[in-house]
Amino acid sequence: MTSQMLCKARKYEEIAEKVIKKEERPAFHFSPRTGWMNDPNGFSYYKGKYHMFYQYYPYDTRWNSMHWGHAVSDDLLHWEYVPAALAPDENYDKEGCFSGSAIALPDGRQLLIYTGVARKAQEDGTDCEIQTQCIAVGDGTNYEKYENNPVLDEKHIPEGSSKVDFRDPKVWKKEDGSFACVVGNRPADGSGQILLYSSLDGFKWEFVSVLAENRNRFGKMWECPDFFELDGKYILLVSPQYMQGKGLEYHNGNGTVCFVGDLDKSTNTFKEESNHAIDYGIDFYAPQTVIAPDGRRIMIGWMQNWDTVGLYSPEKKWFGQMSLPREISVKNGRLYQWPIRELEELREEKVVYHDVTVEGTMKLEGIKGRKIDLELELSAGEDSYKKFMLQFAQNEEHYTSVCFWPQESLLEIDRKFSGASKDTVHERKCQVNSYNGKLEMRVILDQYSVEVFVNHGEQVLSATLYTDPAAEGITFLTEGKVKMNVIKYDLQE
């Protein structure tokens, strides 16, 4: 039975959606039906459709009492909104339905597992928010919360672990038909840890092990874990809070880490071999993956930064967008990411330049736009060059840039002149693999974002943009001579 609170949200979003014009949204990046959106939730494939649930507050463009929004898609680029799936309408989740995931049950229903937040009185007379894991089951449109919620609470966590920071379950089906999930948590030392649970039916869950421990290396609480096997390795994705940078890695404060390693099946513990940032840009958090029907593992993340969420435009009726869905693979101990191949079906109006020599400042006829797929290959001319800069989303006043210094193999994304409402951290640098000035970049521009895929997806830099979508200029600037190949496609909606 649909609660009064959920009915209210569904009626509101249906009306509020109508005042948002299509051209005011991203063309092929997912945005909320109305109001506020953060983490992707329940990213899944069910009944022939991709499903995107998301952290959602329909009534304002600021974070507030978390609901679950819901949309479906055939191609991960064009989405159809369906009614909100969850509202914080029970005692165990009245402070919010926080992040979680989704899986199909053997009987054909879809199970949602999420974090319920409720304020409870403590033995010392104080009260605090307690987080538990809860489930709801439905048909792809309507979901009913389980009568025995919560299914995981403080009785299911290791002694001394936090019942306040215990959230974001990611579920999957094992080869034997049973279920497993990982949940983020904090042990007694205040660091982060990932807990592993198992279930025969998806309803009754048992603690298995502490899968991975932070030991105060990467921030504090590890949010939004995902754990899976890919290309012969086990991958753990986490989003740490309060993370300090290390060299040019991990400078987003609330950022992302990919751990590559193996699983000790005798102890159900993850054996880490390497780690790196998932995204080297400004805006990327809480990624979640799904297995497509053809076997690809596809990842999507919230294309935003908790430190810069105040830069939104108050007149807009929506806030928050997802990254491009990315096909992921593992090569040489790294996570490679590449735009889903479905994006290539949106290409039109191809423009090609071969062996262009850029010296100083140059524009190329036909190379402009805000909904484009731009491929660049750089190399040194007769002599090495000192700097290459690509400026885009450009008009007389604003632009965003990607800058490459070949001698240091440094790449920087910079949006400080993009027209944001206030000055803050708008730059990120990363080390890239380059030899003799050679670098390959694929730059995807949408109305309000840019994603730069470096060296066939070895690294990605993502950022939201605050420039008028009519700013379509693109300029190339160099110190020294650069040889350049360019392919540009417009991307249709």
Side-chain angles (χ1 to χ4, degrees):
M1 181 176 178
T2 305
S3 70
Q4 184 176 355
M5 184 180 290
L6 186 56
C7 283
K8 177 186 174 184
R10 288 179 165 188
K11 289 178 181 177
Y12 180 87
E13 66 181 1
E14 187 176 354
I15 295 169
E17 173 194 17
K18 295 175 181 176
V19 304
I20 305 174
K21 298 176 182 178
K22 182 180 179 181
E23 57 268 24
E24 294 174 341
R25 293 185 177 276
F28 44 88
H29 286 74
F30 181 79
S31 59
R33 191 169 186 177
T34 185
W36 165 281
M37 177 181 77
N38 55 284
D39 306 355
N41 295 160
F43 187 35
S44 54
Y45 190 81
Y46 175 68
K47 288 187 175 179
K49 297 274 188 182
Y50 291 100
H51 286 251
M52 173 64 71
F53 302 86
Y54 53 96
Q55 290 286 277
Y56 182 42
Y57 185 66
Y59 307 109
D60 195 0
T61 53
R62 297 177 184 271
W63 188 94
N64 205 304
S65 180
M66 284 292 97
H67 296 53
W68 272 35
H70 190 191
V72 296
S73 176
D74 293 319
D75 64 359
L76 293 167
L77 298 170
H78 303 93
W79 293 89
E80 175 189 351
Y81 297 113
V82 291
L86 298 176
D89 51 19
E90 296 287 349
N91 287 333
Y92 51 78
D93 64 16
K94 60 185 176 183
E95 301 299 327
C97 298
F98 280 16
S99 293
S101 51
I103 198 82
L105 293 170
D107 63 9
R109 295 179 297 167
Q110 188 178 36
L111 180 143
L112 311 183
I113 181 166
Y114 68 98
T115 297
V117 185
R119 188 168 290 278
K120 292 185 178 181
Q122 304 302 300
E123 293 180 357
D124 62 2
T126 63
D127 66 337
C128 65
E129 290 185 352
I130 302 299
Q131 298 180 349
T132 59
Q133 314 319 312
C134 309
I135 58 179
V137 181
D139 59 2
T141 303
N142 297 303
Y143 298 85
E144 184 174 343
K145 294 179 181 178
Y146 184 40
E147 60 184 6
N148 293 322
N149 275 338
V151 296
L152 288 172
D153 58 21
E154 58 189 285
K155 298 188 298 291
H156 300 87
I157 60 178
E159 185 176 353
S161 296
S162 174
K163 54 190 176 182
V164 175
D165 290 311
F166 175 47
R167 57 184 176 270
D168 310 335
K170 177 64 195 298
V171 65
W172 69 93
K173 188 176 289 186
K174 299 169 70 175
E175 290 183 358
D176 63 4
S178 65
F179 300 91
C181 81
V182 285
V183 185
N185 184 230
R186 294 178 79 172
D189 69 357
S191 183
Q193 64 184 6
I194 302 300
L195 307 181
L196 177 65
Y197 295 89
S198 67
S199 173
L200 293 176
D201 60 4
F203 293 85
K204 183 176 176 57
W205 290 86
E206 296 181 350
F207 173 74
V208 176
S209 65
V210 177
L211 179 73
E213 297 176 280
N214 183 8
R215 298 187 298 275
N216 284 304
R217 296 173 300 149
F218 302 96
K220 295 295 182 181
M221 173 64 181
W222 280 0
E223 295 194 306
C224 304
D226 200 348
F227 185 65
F228 49 89
E229 190 174 4
L230 183 64
D231 296 330
K233 291 293 182 181
Y234 279 85
I235 305 299
L236 175 63
L237 309 180
V238 297
S239 295
Q241 295 181 308
Y242 308 111
M243 188 163 52
Q244 293 184 335
K246 297 183 179 182
L248 292 176
E249 296 270 355
Y250 310 128
H251 278 278
N252 280 29
N254 297 278
T256 55
V257 182
C258 172
F259 296 100
V260 180
D262 204 353
L263 176 67
D264 184 337
K265 295 184 179 179
S266 65
T267 59
N268 285 298
T269 54
F270 176 68
K271 302 303 180 184
E272 175 190 334
E273 297 173 0
S274 62
N275 65 80
H276 57 273
I278 300 173
D279 195 285
Y280 290 83
I282 304 168
D283 297 304
F284 191 84
Y285 197 73
Q288 198 169 94
T289 68
V290 65
I291 298 178
D294 59 10
R296 291 175 292 164
R297 187 168 285 272
I298 297 172
M299 180 179 72
I300 199 167
W302 182 42
M303 203 174 181
Q304 195 49 253
N305 181 334
W306 281 114
D307 294 324
T308 57
V309 292
L311 297 177
Y312 71 95
S313 301
E315 69 275 7
K316 279 195 169 58
K317 303 301 182 184
W318 62 271
F319 177 82
Q321 59 185 309
M322 299 302 181
S323 70
L324 271 177
R326 302 168 182 180
E327 299 178 18
I328 59 174
S329 59
V330 178
K331 302 175 188 176
N332 304 317
R334 288 192 66 90
L335 187 73
Y336 275 64
Q337 306 167 57
W338 198 242
I340 52 168
R341 60 198 65 175
E342 287 85 347
L343 185 70
E344 295 170 19
E345 298 175 11
L346 306 186
R347 288 172 166 178
E348 59 183 13
E349 303 298 331
K350 183 178 181 180
V351 179
V352 179
Y353 288 88
H354 285 300
D355 291 328
V356 175
T357 298
V358 186
E359 184 177 13
T361 301
M362 175 182 286
K363 291 181 180 289
L364 294 174
E365 186 176 351
I367 307 297
K368 64 177 183 177
R370 277 294 279 277
K371 292 176 284 189
I372 63 170
D373 188 343
L374 179 67
E375 298 178 1
L376 300 177
E377 293 182 4
L378 308 179
S379 61
E382 297 177 359
D383 300 309
S384 60
Y385 63 95
K386 293 182 179 180
K387 180 179 177 181
F388 171 86
M389 179 183 286
L390 171 71
Q391 293 182 350
F392 49 86
Q394 184 182 49
N395 57 21
E396 292 182 357
E397 186 176 2
H398 299 123
Y399 67 87
T400 298
S401 66
V402 173
C403 191
F404 176 52
W405 291 270
Q407 294 174 3
E408 297 87 2
S409 289
L410 282 180
L411 188 68
E412 177 189 67
I413 189 165
D414 183 349
R415 67 166 184 211
K416 63 177 173 286
F417 300 115
S418 70
S421 59
K422 63 180 180 179
D423 196 21
T424 183
V425 176
H426 286 303
E427 304 169 34
R428 288 286 183 272
K429 286 187 176 74
C430 67
Q431 206 84 46
V432 296
N433 282 324
S434 172
Y435 175 73
N436 195 28
K438 293 183 178 180
L439 192 73
E440 296 185 6
M441 292 186 289
R442 183 177 175 189
V443 181
I444 310 294
L445 276 173
D446 200 349
Q447 298 269 65
Y448 304 102
S449 66
V450 60
E451 287 157 282
V452 182
F453 296 82
V454 182
N455 292 335
H456 297 284
E458 187 177 35
Q459 287 159 287
V460 188
L461 297 84
S462 304
T464 53
L465 303 182
Y466 302 96
T467 318
D468 184 338
E472 295 187 324
I474 292 177
T475 302
F476 306 96
L477 304 95
T478 69
E479 292 182 15
K481 293 182 180 180
V482 177
K483 285 281 189 180
M484 182 174 69
N485 293 330
V486 184
I487 303 176
K488 190 221 77 172
Y489 302 89
D490 290 333
L491 294 171
Q492 59 183 338
E493 295 189 39

